[in-house]
Amino acid sequence: MKTSLKTELLKAQKLGYALPAFNFDNLEMMKAIIEAAEEENSPVILMVTESAAKYMGLDYVFALALTACNKAKVPIVLHWDHGFDITLIKKAIDAGFSSVMLDSSLKPFDENVKETLDVVNYARTKGVEVESEIGHVGGKEDDRNSKSNGYSDINQAIEFNNLTKVDALAIAIGTSHGLFKGEIKLQFDLLKEIASKIKTPLVLHGSSQVPLKDLQKAIKLGITKINIGTDLKIACADGLKQYFTENPNDFDARKYGRFAIENVKKQAIIKIRAFGSNNKA
Ligand code: 13P
């Protein structure tokens, strides 16, 4: 069933686990996420990005994701991820998403606050929750590439949180989006300091390829939503590669599709168990 971001994040915060927030780009990845959540009895966050919506078609993806959430046997938060375009964010709000993320993190502080408030004010009238980002998690996010990785500044994070009253706050502590991350060195002291001063649930983007023990340490220090995109894309592609290596002459979309689903599901289950959200539905 579709549920709210805030309900799930506050529960996770209280019980000391994190919600896996998975991106999907096709039907197979979406089915794998829902099946993994049901098998593990875990609440999860199902995330749609602008480029995924562009690929699948906005109306198709709305219908697909809403149906999946409403039919699921476990709580699913339907989340619009990395919204750069406020018009599209408002469409997701109108379509019935549980929550939306605005990413104006590369803009000047005042502009980030102003745009976040625009989204917050609109979302509140529809009972939808909002995540926004302070500092900047760089790398390959959605279809954009940004080189800079700006750590969150503690004072700015506090001020931003007070001014915008967002429901979830994405912070930059050393992760980056995509596959090639260089050396991953999370700033645990910074996370600890932010978590001691900000009670709003904290979000970690760019969490694929980050060692699970580092993510588990981040959970202990206060992260309650962990975004995973690339690791599921890799699992989907690897599943297809393996299938066609073993069955070079096959062409049945239902067979290779099912194989890809199983491979993505395995990866999703690894994250669910590592983040401790299993059996928390
Ligand atoms: P990764 O692709 O690095 O997992 O990042 C995903 C993400 O943060 C989506 O918001």
Side-chain angles (χ1 to χ4, degrees), residues 36-272:
E38 288 181 337
E39 277 182 30
E40 291 296 306
N41 194 29
S42 168
V44 298
I45 302 174
L46 185 66
M47 304 200 296
V48 180
T49 60
E50 285 180 8
S51 65
K54 199 167 146 201
Y55 169 67
M56 287 181 272
L58 197 62
D59 292 336
Y60 287 97
V61 84
F62 282 170
L64 203 62
L66 279 163
T67 306
C69 291
N70 290 331
K71 285 191 74 113
K73 296 183 189 73
V74 290
I76 311 281
V77 177
L78 180 55
H79 184 76
W80 186 256
D81 185 35
H82 278 294
F84 300 102
D85 178 339
I86 295 185
T87 309
L88 278 180
I89 291 178
K90 289 182 177 171
K91 277 192 184 174
I93 292 171
D94 293 342
F97 273 54
S98 316
S99 52
V100 292
M101 182 213 179
L102 168 77
D103 184 356
S104 293
S105 60
L106 273 176
K107 297 189 177 167
F109 180 82
D110 289 347
E111 223 172 302
N112 192 0
V113 170
K114 187 169 161 274
E115 292 188 0
T116 301
L117 280 174
D118 179 10
V119 173
V120 167
N121 291 335
Y122 189 80
R124 292 281 181 261
T125 63
K126 315 260 176 173
V128 171
E129 291 142 349
V130 179
E131 172 187 334
S132 194
E133 180 168 322
I134 189 74
H136 178 68
V137 180
K140 183 165 174 24
E141 53 194 347
D142 209 11
D143 269 353
R144 297 168 187 233
N145 250 314
S146 79
K147 285 202 182 79
S148 69
N149 233 3
Y151 293 112
S152 301
D153 171 87
I154 177 78
N155 294 322
Q156 273 201 350
I158 294 170
E159 197 185 346
F160 186 81
N161 185 55
N162 288 341
L163 289 171
T164 60
K165 300 197 168 32
V166 284
D167 303 288
L169 185 65
I171 54 169
I173 57 163
T175 54
S176 66
H177 297 93
L179 185 56
F180 302 105
K181 298 184 192 262
E183 197 196 355
I184 302 166
K185 230 170 163 273
L186 298 194
Q187 304 289 309
F188 291 115
D189 288 344
L190 176 61
L191 168 58
K192 209 166 161 183
E193 200 185 354
I194 294 175
S196 72
K197 303 211 165 112
I198 295 178
K199 294 303 150 211
T200 303
L202 300 173
V203 182
L204 193 62
H205 281 249
S207 309
S208 291
Q209 312 280 299
V210 178
L212 292 178
K213 65 169 182 19
D214 284 357
L215 296 177
Q216 286 166 332
K217 188 166 176 191
I219 295 169
K220 277 207 180 78
L221 294 176
I223 291 291
T224 48
K225 172 176 179 275
I226 300 187
N227 287 20
I228 301 285
T230 304
D231 280 347
L232 296 196
K233 287 186 202 192
I234 293 172
C236 189
D238 282 353
L240 291 172
K241 284 179 215 164
Q242 187 188 337
Y243 184 84
F244 283 111
T245 305
E246 289 167 9
N247 307 276
N249 298 320
D250 203 358
F251 53 84
D252 187 334
R254 291 158 300 190
K255 285 192 189 154
Y256 64 73
R258 187 70 234 168
F259 203 84
I261 291 171
E262 292 302 328
N263 223 42
V264 176
K265 202 186 342 179
K266 271 189 225 152
Q267 184 55 233
I269 288 175
I270 288 172
K271 304 293 191 211
I272 287 171

Side-chain angles (χ1 to χ4, degrees), residues 23-39:
N23 294 110
F24 73 96
D25 294 315
N26 58 26
L27 176 73
E28 285 72 25
M29 292 172 79
M30 192 199 75
K31 278 178 80 73
I33 294 163
I34 302 287
E35 287 181 18
E38 288 181 337
E39 277 182 30

